[in-house]
Amino acid sequence: MVDVARFTHGPRSRMLPSAWFLVGIICLSGMFGGCSEGNCEPEGELFAEASGLGTIALDEEAVYWTARASSPENRAGQVWRKAKSGGEPELLYQGERDPIFDLPVLAVDATHVYWLERCGTRLGDVCAEVRRVPKAGGPSQLLVRDDVYAFAVDGGRLFFSTSKERNTAPEVPTAGSKGTLWSMPKDGSGTPVALVTELEKLRDVALDDTHVYFVADRGLEEGSEGREAWVSRLPKAGGPVETVVWADGYPGHLVLTEQAMVLTSGTVLYRANRGDAMPVFLKQVEGRVEDFAVSGDTVYFGDEGDYEDAMLSDDPKYVCGAIRSMSLEEKVVKTFSQGQVRPHSLMTDGTMLYWASGSTDSAVTTLRRSRL
């Protein structure tokens, strides 16, 4: 069984609200669809709206997300919840600082919601706190304050990686930095225990029923022509480390299914069946390659369109993006939902796909869903 609490990933920068003014300048309909009068018209049921929605997590009953307070005088981070069956969103947490609006770093278990929050207000700060709040409401609890990059929750344990990788491009060396994989009681009652140390460019963490997996970089070995991202694992209780998958490029995001692993390295999606050390190339992705979700034998990912060109060009253009789907076996790409504005934070419960999509005329982000 896949635990929803393990859908937690390392950070990546989000678009700032001040950049939205470029989005609706020109919308080239006909290429990606979902455009009207220069604006993108996202498909999919509108589930919620938020200011700067950054991260989504799911359990059987509800959808959770991080956002920013909408007041210009208060942009502090928030955690929200809304029942899948409908109703009004419920504010679970109001912070005093910005949370980390990057790759999904939000998780849930049976009783609590967990997230990452900046230690301070400086944008480039790599220090982050793991916090949690009861689903039923109540005060938040600080669990870890360190250079936390990613975490996952399972059973009674919190597993997390610490490194200087946040705000650092994968190809840039992080001088004097070695990553560490840790484990501690998820209720904060015990001291963290180092499981693996001295890891290069340590990033993502994922769990299955018996093992904790992590993504790091093997570095430049003598005689090699490039770097290798590798996936290793060890028993949750500690023990020997074994490398199970490696791929050319740089370490990224990892999702486990019962039959396979889906891994990003650079801007490439790979699949590796359990027991296969060499992954299979799936697709070169433009945009946020890490923002993908897997259901059964299908991977869903966001296609940003020409957003980057619009940001950099003297004659900015914008092409509405889309959610794409691809069979892990056949590798045939299909369009799942059109008209999206920089779609991100894809999550699925096996029945519905949830994602965040921006707006061409404001800083409001929409949370949308569609049946698989």
Side-chain angles (χ1 to χ4, degrees):
M1 176 179 291
V2 177
D3 190 339
V4 295
R6 66 153 184 78
F7 288 102
T8 53
H9 320 304
R12 179 181 170 99
S13 61
R14 291 285 188 215
M15 180 172 63
L16 296 176
S18 60
W20 286 112
F21 76 97
L22 284 175
V23 170
I25 293 177
I26 299 177
C27 182
L28 302 180
S29 61
M31 294 182 65
F32 288 88
C35 300
S36 175
E37 298 180 353
N39 289 314
C40 298
E41 297 183 341
E43 296 178 345
E45 175 191 347
L46 176 60
F47 185 77
E49 293 183 329
S51 175
L53 190 153
T55 306
I56 299 170
L58 310 172
D59 64 15
E60 293 183 358
E61 304 295 332
V63 183
Y64 305 82
W65 64 90
T66 60
R68 282 192 176 104
S70 58
S71 170
E73 293 79 25
N74 178 15
R75 304 294 290 167
Q78 301 173 328
V79 177
W80 292 82
R81 167 184 173 165
K82 180 180 175 180
K84 291 179 179 178
S85 58
E88 292 298 319
E90 175 187 3
L91 179 64
L92 294 179
Y93 171 77
Q94 174 65 68
E96 298 179 356
R97 303 179 298 270
D98 279 358
I100 296 174
F101 289 95
D102 306 299
L103 277 182
V105 282
L106 184 69
V108 294
D109 63 13
T111 59
H112 286 78
V113 186
Y114 302 75
W115 71 94
L116 276 179
E117 187 168 319
R118 298 186 192 281
C119 296
T121 58
R122 188 164 61 89
L123 186 60
D125 193 358
V126 298
C127 179
E129 301 171 347
V130 181
R131 288 183 169 272
R132 72 175 189 170
V133 69
K135 288 181 177 179
S140 69
Q141 178 186 5
L142 172 63
L143 299 177
V144 179
R145 182 184 175 93
D146 204 332
D147 296 338
V148 182
Y149 187 90
F151 69 86
V153 180
D154 183 57
R157 306 295 294 180
L158 168 70
F159 299 87
F160 62 97
S161 60
T162 56
S163 70
K164 302 289 186 182
E165 288 302 299
R166 186 170 301 108
N167 307 314
T168 302
E171 66 274 12
V172 176
T174 312
S177 171
K178 297 287 187 178
T180 301
L181 179 68
W182 304 83
S183 172
M184 65 175 287
K186 68 179 184 181
D187 62 3
S189 62
T191 302
V193 176
L195 298 177
V196 190
T197 61
E198 298 294 305
L199 294 166
E200 292 281 353
K201 303 192 80 65
L202 173 63
R203 296 202 167 196
D204 208 7
V205 179
L207 305 172
D208 65 12
D209 291 340
T210 58
H211 287 75
V212 53
Y213 295 70
F214 59 91
V215 183
D217 186 359
R218 296 185 65 171
L220 287 169
E221 299 181 354
E222 185 177 354
S224 66
E225 297 180 357
R227 308 187 75 90
E228 288 184 335
W230 48 282
V231 181
S232 297
R233 72 175 190 174
L234 72 159
K236 290 179 180 177
V241 176
E242 60 175 327
T243 298
V244 292
V245 173
W246 58 86
D248 292 337
Y250 297 91
H253 170 42
L254 173 68
V255 167
L256 305 176
T257 71
E258 293 183 0
Q259 291 80 30
M261 307 176 199
V262 182
L263 169 72
T264 63
S265 182
T267 59
V268 177
L269 274 170
Y270 291 95
R271 183 203 81 237
N273 292 328
R274 295 296 186 105
D276 292 347
M278 294 299 294
V280 176
F281 172 86
L282 291 177
K283 182 172 177 58
Q284 183 91 26
V285 177
E286 295 296 331
R288 311 155 79 83
V289 65
E290 286 93 344
D291 282 6
F292 69 88
V294 181
S295 180
D297 65 351
T298 302
V299 58
Y300 300 84
F301 58 92
D303 184 336
E304 292 185 350
D306 283 349
Y307 170 79
E308 295 297 339
D309 289 342
M311 292 292 100
L312 300 175
S313 173
D314 292 334
D315 180 23
K317 296 178 174 61
Y318 187 81
V319 177
C320 298
I323 303 293
R324 311 290 184 191
S325 66
M326 178 173 54
S327 167
L328 295 177
E329 297 296 333
E330 299 174 359
K331 297 192 289 186
V332 176
V333 177
K334 300 178 181 179
T335 297
F336 179 80
S337 184
Q338 303 182 83
Q340 309 301 323
V341 178
R342 230 186 167 204
H344 59 272
S345 297
L346 279 67
M347 285 287 166
T348 179
D349 57 10
T351 301
M352 305 285 287
L353 181 71
Y354 294 79
W355 70 92
S357 180
S359 168
T360 56
D361 59 1
S362 74
V364 172
T365 310
T366 60
L367 196 164
R368 296 182 177 272
R369 66 179 180 179
S370 186
R371 188 169 296 277
L372 300 180

